Amino acid sequence: MKAMARPFLALYAMALVIALLGRIGLAVAGDTGVLAFDYISASGVPVLDVICSILTGSAFVAFLFAAGLALCVSTAGAVLYGALASRAEGDAGAPAVRPRPLTAFLWGWATALVALVCLVVVVLGILSAVQVGSMSSKLPGLPIIVVGVIGFAAFLGTLLGAASMVVCACVARWRAGYSLELSLIAAVALCGAVVAALTVGTFSALNVASISLPALSGWFAADVVANVAMLFGAKVYADKMSLAS
C-alpha cells in the first residue's frame, strides 16, 4: 500500500483536476447559452438538444456505457504510448521505442477511430426503429457521416497524439530528477485548461439550430493548431529534459 500510495494519489488528483475543469467549462457553457440543461421538444432548437432528447430511459443508460468505453480506450491509448516510449531497451525482450510526433499522431488517430467504432457498435444496438428514423431525418446521408467520423477521428488524433507526447515529456522530466506525479498533475491542469476553453468555443459553434460552417471550421482549426502546438511543444521539452538527464 505504501509503495502504491503516490501513483494512486496522483491519479485521483488528476481526476479531480479534470472534474474541476469540466465543472468550470460547463458553468461557462451554461451561463453563455452554449448548452441548455433543460428538456426542449420544439423545432428550431440546437442540434445537441435534438439528438440527446432522443436518448431516453434505457437507451440513455446504454449510451453512457458506450461513451465511457470510448473515453477509456482514448485514455488507455495515450497511457500505452507513454509506457512504450519510456520502456528501456531490452525490457521484455523488445527494443526501446522512441517517441515521435508523427507516430504519436498516427496512433492517436487510430485510437480515436477505434473508440468511435466502439461507440457506434454499442449505440446501433440501443436505438429503436422509431429513434433511428427520427435521427435519420435530421442527420446528413451515410457517406457524409462516414467522412465526418473519419475527419473527426483525425481531429481527435491530434489531441490524443498531444496527450501521448505530454506523457512522454513528463516521463523525461522524471528521468531528469523531477516528480512524475507532480509533472502529470501540472500537465493535466495546464493542457486541460486549454482544451476546456477550446471545447466550449467549439460547442458554441456546433450546438446551434443552424450551423455556420465557417464558424465551426474556424474553431476546429483553432483546436487542431492548439493540439499540434502541444504535440510538438511536448516533444521539444522531452528532448530538452533527456539532454538534462
Side-chain angles (χ1 to χ4, degrees):
M1 291 293 292
K2 184 178 180 180
M4 296 178 180
R6 286 187 63 181
F8 271 96
L9 289 176
L11 173 64
Y12 303 153
M14 286 185 283
L16 291 173
V17 169
I18 293 172
L20 179 61
L21 289 173
R23 180 64 267 166
I24 295 173
L26 288 173
V28 172
D31 292 341
T32 56
V34 173
L35 293 177
F37 300 102
D38 54 344
Y39 179 78
I40 302 175
S41 59
S43 59
V45 296
V47 173
L48 290 180
D49 293 320
V50 174
I51 296 177
C52 293
S53 64
I54 299 172
L55 297 172
T56 59
S58 300
F60 175 71
V61 175
F63 183 80
L64 291 180
F65 159 72
L69 174 61
L71 288 174
C72 285
V73 172
S74 301
T75 304
V79 173
L80 179 60
Y81 187 92
L84 291 173
S86 65
R87 184 174 57 189
E89 188 172 358
D91 284 0
V97 179
R98 183 180 179 184
R100 298 176 182 273
L102 179 59
T103 58
F105 164 73
L106 291 176
W107 284 117
W109 178 84
T111 300
L113 186 59
V114 171
L116 291 175
V117 169
C118 291
L119 181 68
V120 172
V121 167
V122 176
V123 169
L124 288 180
I126 67 176
L127 300 177
S128 66
V130 174
Q131 290 172 312
V132 173
S134 178
M135 292 184 68
S136 299
S137 64
K138 299 177 177 66
L139 297 175
L142 181 60
I144 296 179
I145 293 177
V146 172
V147 173
V149 168
I150 295 175
F152 188 59
F155 152 71
L156 289 179
T158 60
L159 178 60
L160 296 184
S164 300
M165 285 303 304
V166 168
V167 172
C168 294
C170 291
V171 172
R173 181 178 171 83
W174 167 66
R175 286 177 171 169
Y178 297 92
S179 169
L180 176 61
E181 292 84 4
L182 292 179
S183 297
L184 289 170
I185 295 171
V188 167
L190 295 176
C191 298
V194 174
V195 173
L198 290 172
T199 299
V200 173
T202 303
F203 268 79
S204 69
L206 176 64
N207 193 35
V208 292
S210 180
I211 297 176
S212 170
L213 289 180
L216 184 60
S217 299
W219 277 108
F220 266 102
D223 293 335
V224 172
V225 169
N227 294 340
V228 171
M230 287 187 287
L231 175 67
F232 284 94
K235 172 60 176 174
V236 171
Y237 186 81
D239 290 342
K240 181 180 178 180
M241 288 293 101
S242 296
L243 291 176
S245 61

